[in-house]
Amino acid sequence: MLAQLIEDNKASLSLHLFDTFAGMPETDTIHDLHQEGDFADTSLEAVLKHVNSAVRNASFINFHQGYIPDTFSGLEQHEIAFAHIDVDIYKAIHDCCDFIYPRLQNGGFIVFDDYGFGSCPGARTAVNEFFSDKPEQPLILPTGQAIVFRNSY
Ligand SMILES: C[S@@+](CC[C@H](N)C(=O)[O-])C[C@H]1O[C@@H](n2cnc3c(N)ncnc32)[C@H](O)[C@@H]1O
């Protein structure tokens, strides 16, 4: 959907997709209910095929297979307009916040997909901890997601 939106609107944006594409990495027994290997029924090839088939020219789409935050390496100079964080587990969400928040454009926003999900208690903890000393506060949706708009005025 994001790829189609960018293409249809001729937006000069790139889309960066991060995952192991091979299942959850090690999880945290204190914060997380998910376990290593969950969501392993996928592959980079399957996602590539699906995403690339949704657009006419996929040259603006970048796949980063591997462990977050290692896969952020080399992208430090990027500005971010929008991030959809759907990694479910405590450490990965903290690592995403650490990298994405300082690069978020003014008015840019983050959606935390699993903030309110009972299956992802570490998500809420990580988001609440991260924003406890920030001027922005997560807006919590009745659907379980949380949104943060960057305000750097
Ligand atoms: C609920 S799935 C969502 C996958 C995809 N966004 C979707 O909607 O189908 C959570 C994903 O987070 C990924 N993930 C969690 N921690 C990660 C990390 N540190 N590095 C890379 N991927 C991670 C898992 O591999 C898993 O595919």
Side-chain angles (χ1 to χ4, degrees), residues 19-21 23-25 39 66-68 86-89 92:
D19 205 298
T20 63
F21 301 105
M24 275 288 171
F39 305 107
Y67 182 70
I68 295 167
D86 182 17
V87 286
D88 287 24
I89 56 174

Side-chain angles (χ1 to χ4, degrees), residues 48-96:
L48 262 169
K49 194 173 163 197
H50 178 68
V51 174
N52 288 347
S53 70
V55 293
R56 288 178 293 280
N57 179 352
S59 58
F60 65 95
I61 306 173
N62 304 274
F63 290 83
H64 303 271
Q65 182 174 29
Y67 182 70
I68 295 167
D70 298 351
T71 45
F72 294 144
S73 178
L75 301 171
E76 292 80 3
Q77 301 311 317
H78 283 244
E79 278 191 19
I80 300 168
F82 168 72
H84 180 258
I85 300 180
D86 182 17
V87 286
D88 287 24
I89 56 174
Y90 177 81
K91 182 176 183 307
I93 291 174
H94 254 298
D95 288 338
C96 287

Side-chain angles (χ1 to χ4, degrees), residues 88-137:
D88 287 24
I89 56 174
Y90 177 81
K91 182 176 183 307
I93 291 174
H94 254 298
D95 288 338
C96 287
C97 289
D98 286 341
F99 185 80
I100 292 165
Y101 176 81
R103 295 171 175 81
L104 205 56
Q105 295 171 342
N106 192 25
F109 64 108
I110 306 174
V111 172
F112 294 96
D113 183 74
D114 29 60
Y115 178 90
F117 292 2
S119 56
C120 308
R124 182 190 300 239
T125 306
V127 173
N128 287 348
E129 284 178 2
F130 185 82
F131 286 97
S132 63
D133 62 354
K134 306 289 182 298
E136 300 87 356
Q137 289 304 301

